[in-house]
Amino acid sequence: MILGIGTDLANIDRIAATLERFGDRFRDRVFTETEQRKAERRRDVAGTYAKRWAAKEACSKALGTGLRMGIAWKDMSVSNIETGQPRMHVTGWAAERLAKMTPPGYVAVIHVTLTDDHPWAQAFVLIEALPAGAESAQVAD
């Protein structure tokens, strides 16, 4: 069953300007160390940050809150599995919100996809509830 859907479109040039203006202050406020390491290794640093920004916005929408009600930017983070597929992780208040949304006997699985075509970066997040035990067949770590 679908628990939430969110999407966001971010302007890469806007993120680049923000990085230029605020530097580490912006990076450290919004992105986890893992996200920062990933972005700083990439040729398109701003594009990588923009996709993760959009993913956090999309995730907050899928959680039904937007970026209010106590969710911190770092409560949502994106990593990649070996094949490159992005994975969304939630901690803190975002994880608490997800737990409240998930019906008893179910496990929440967060799906995320990212794309960019300069000057735009886009993310789509879908939160699905699967019967407990079924999620291991759907999600590979």
Side-chain angles (χ1 to χ4, degrees), residues 31-65:
F31 302 100
T32 65
E33 288 181 29
T34 299
E35 291 172 314
Q36 290 181 43
R37 278 194 307 272
K38 172 78 171 184
E40 297 299 328
R41 286 193 318 258
R42 302 297 298 261
R43 185 181 63 212
D44 183 10
V45 173
T48 302
Y49 279 123
K51 285 186 280 190
R52 277 147 179 76
W53 171 280
K56 291 168 187 268
E57 289 274 9
C59 185
S60 71
K61 292 170 185 175
L63 289 168
T65 64

Side-chain angles (χ1 to χ4, degrees), residues 3 14 17 21 26-27 32 37 40 47 49 52 62 66 69-70 85-86 100 106 111-112 114-116 120 124 126 140:
L3 298 179
R14 180 174 164 246
R21 182 170 180 200
F26 171 65
R27 275 188 280 276
T32 65
R37 278 194 307 272
E40 297 299 328
Y49 279 123
R52 277 147 179 76
M69 296 175 59
Q85 178 183 353
K100 288 179 185 171
Y106 285 79
H111 304 276
V112 60
L114 309 173
T115 190
D116 65 291
W120 301 107
F124 185 82
L126 183 136

Side-chain angles (χ1 to χ4, degrees), residues 1-7 54-64 71 75-79 81 85-99 101-102 106-114 123-130 135-136 138-141:
M1 101 183 49
I2 304 300
L3 298 179
I5 301 170
T7 188
K56 291 168 187 268
E57 289 274 9
C59 185
S60 71
K61 292 170 185 175
L63 289 168
I71 291 182
D75 284 350
M76 301 163 289
S77 66
V78 177
S79 67
I81 62 175
Q85 178 183 353
R87 298 286 302 276
M88 177 63 70
H89 308 274
V90 293
T91 58
W93 196 92
E96 292 173 22
R97 171 71 180 152
L98 182 60
M101 292 172 60
T102 306
Y106 285 79
V107 175
V109 177
I110 302 174
H111 304 276
V112 60
T113 186
L114 309 173
F124 185 82
V125 172
L126 183 136
I127 302 174
E128 177 183 26
L130 297 173
E135 78 283 359
S136 60
Q138 295 285 319
V139 180
D141 278 282

